[in-house]
Amino acid sequence: MAETNEFEAWVVSSFNLTLLSLVLLLAGHTAGFLAGSLSGFGTLPGVLAFGYLWLLVFGATRWALQGGGLARIRDGERRSLLLRGIVAGGAIGAVFLLGLLLVILVVNVLEGGVQPLSFALFALFGGSIASIVGGLVGGLSVVLDIVLYEAAGRLLGAREEAERTENETPN
């Protein structure tokens, strides 16, 4: 497979994660969920969790874009891109949740209040659900990426056509 364009992967992953974060924050704010749930979270854990999620999204996006990046859309490879997006999203959901659970487990071990069976069950069921939700989000992100890529191509094509027509007409 061809190498992934690092800049393209960075732009696509940053756009997708930023959009997802804004949608979730807006939904959480309008539902009144954020005030109670984030009051004791803290800035450093929030930045670390977001950084961890961004690294997962970047790595999964690099993998999903292998073989030609978004330009594969022009070649009619929407389906393979969509499938890779679903798989990447599922992996992000499961690995993100498992990483958070691992941190919680370590904190509980250090405090002496560990219940490994509870963590194992939550990891099993929670990881499965997070994988399904992540796959859906990944698929929706790819659909949005395809729509935006095609819209940008049309706009650029129209602009190039207008410039070509302008240059061909005599003054």
Side-chain angles (χ1 to χ4, degrees):
M1 289 215 153
E3 288 294 315
T4 305
N5 181 323
E6 296 291 324
F7 182 70
E8 181 182 31
W10 184 86
V11 169
V12 171
S13 59
S14 296
F15 172 78
N16 288 339
L17 182 57
T18 301
L19 184 63
L20 175 64
S21 299
L22 288 174
V23 167
L24 291 176
L25 287 172
L26 182 61
H29 176 69
T30 56
F33 173 73
L34 288 182
S37 63
L38 294 180
S39 62
F41 195 60
T43 302
L44 182 60
V47 169
L48 291 174
F50 185 82
Y52 172 55
L53 181 58
W54 188 89
L55 287 172
L56 291 175
V57 170
F58 177 70
T61 301
R62 281 185 67 218
W63 175 79
L65 293 177
Q66 280 181 345
L70 290 177
R72 294 183 343 208
I73 295 168
R74 287 187 304 231
D75 301 330
E77 292 188 40
R78 288 177 188 85
R79 183 179 175 153
S80 68
L81 194 60
L82 180 62
L83 290 176
R84 280 182 164 262
I86 291 169
V87 170
I92 292 167
V95 173
F96 182 72
L97 180 68
L98 294 176
L100 293 180
L101 285 176
L102 183 62
V103 170
I104 293 169
L105 178 64
V106 168
V107 168
N108 278 329
V109 165
L110 293 175
E111 292 177 352
V114 65
Q115 296 175 345
L117 184 59
S118 297
F119 277 98
L121 288 174
F122 193 76
L124 178 67
F125 293 116
S128 300
I129 292 169
S131 182
I132 292 169
V133 171
L136 290 173
V137 170
L140 289 173
S141 294
V142 170
V143 169
L144 179 61
D145 293 339
I146 289 171
V147 168
L148 292 174
Y149 183 85
E150 290 179 343
R154 287 190 185 112
L155 287 173
L156 288 175
R159 179 177 170 208
E160 289 172 357
E161 180 64 30
E163 287 176 357
R164 187 173 36 253
T165 305
E166 183 179 294
N167 290 337
E168 290 175 358
T169 55
N171 291 334

